[in-house]
Amino acid sequence: MSSINVKIESGEFTQLEVDKLSNITERQLWFINNWYMTLYISFVYVVVILLLKSYMRERKPFELRKLLVAWNAGLAIFSIATTLFILEQFIYFNSQKDFWYTSVCTR
């Protein structure tokens, strides 16, 4: 995903392409028109979990320690990267006179 630089007030921040192109009204309309899909997805999820639980009842547990370590390392790296990505915006808005209004009320 490519990123672009956008000027927000007097600061310059990185904005992802998906953020630039997303239209909140279209997304809201899609969810309003397709609300029932969440029920179908939830039902399928519960059925799959129950089937897998009964399937695994008599089986030997998987050895997933290495995969779990890799997952946790990836999650930690993602969390650090996300924090660094939003940190510049947070510092900028926090340094403004009307921090609360600028960061909450106008967004």
Side-chain angles (χ1 to χ4, degrees):
M1 199 178 294
S2 64
S3 62
I4 57 173
N5 288 331
V6 183
K7 287 191 176 191
I8 299 177
E9 295 181 20
S10 63
E12 189 170 317
F13 303 108
T14 304
Q15 184 181 21
L16 298 176
E17 197 68 30
V18 69
D19 293 332
K20 178 184 162 202
L21 298 177
S22 64
N23 183 345
I24 242 177
T25 307
E26 289 178 13
R27 284 187 285 170
Q28 287 174 338
L29 285 175
W30 188 88
F31 280 108
I32 289 170
N33 292 332
N34 298 297
W35 62 269
Y36 57 88
M37 290 184 71
T38 58
L39 297 176
Y40 296 148
I41 293 169
S42 299
F43 178 76
V44 169
Y45 173 77
V46 169
V47 168
V48 167
I49 294 298
L50 292 174
L51 289 174
L52 286 175
K53 186 177 176 182
S54 65
Y55 173 73
M56 292 299 293
R57 184 169 288 133
E58 304 297 327
R59 295 178 51 94
K60 178 182 156 196
F62 293 123
E63 296 294 327
L64 298 174
R65 181 163 300 270
K66 291 179 183 177
L67 184 61
L68 184 61
V69 168
W71 171 262
N72 286 334
L75 189 59
I77 291 169
F78 175 77
S79 297
I80 291 168
T82 303
T83 299
L84 294 175
F85 183 76
I86 66 167
L87 190 60
E88 64 177 332
Q89 294 180 25
F90 178 75
I91 290 171
Y92 170 75
F93 285 121
N94 197 24
S95 67
Q96 300 301 306
K97 181 180 176 185
D98 296 327
F99 167 66
W100 184 257
Y101 180 77
T102 306
S103 62
V104 176
C105 298
T106 61
R107 300 273 165 224

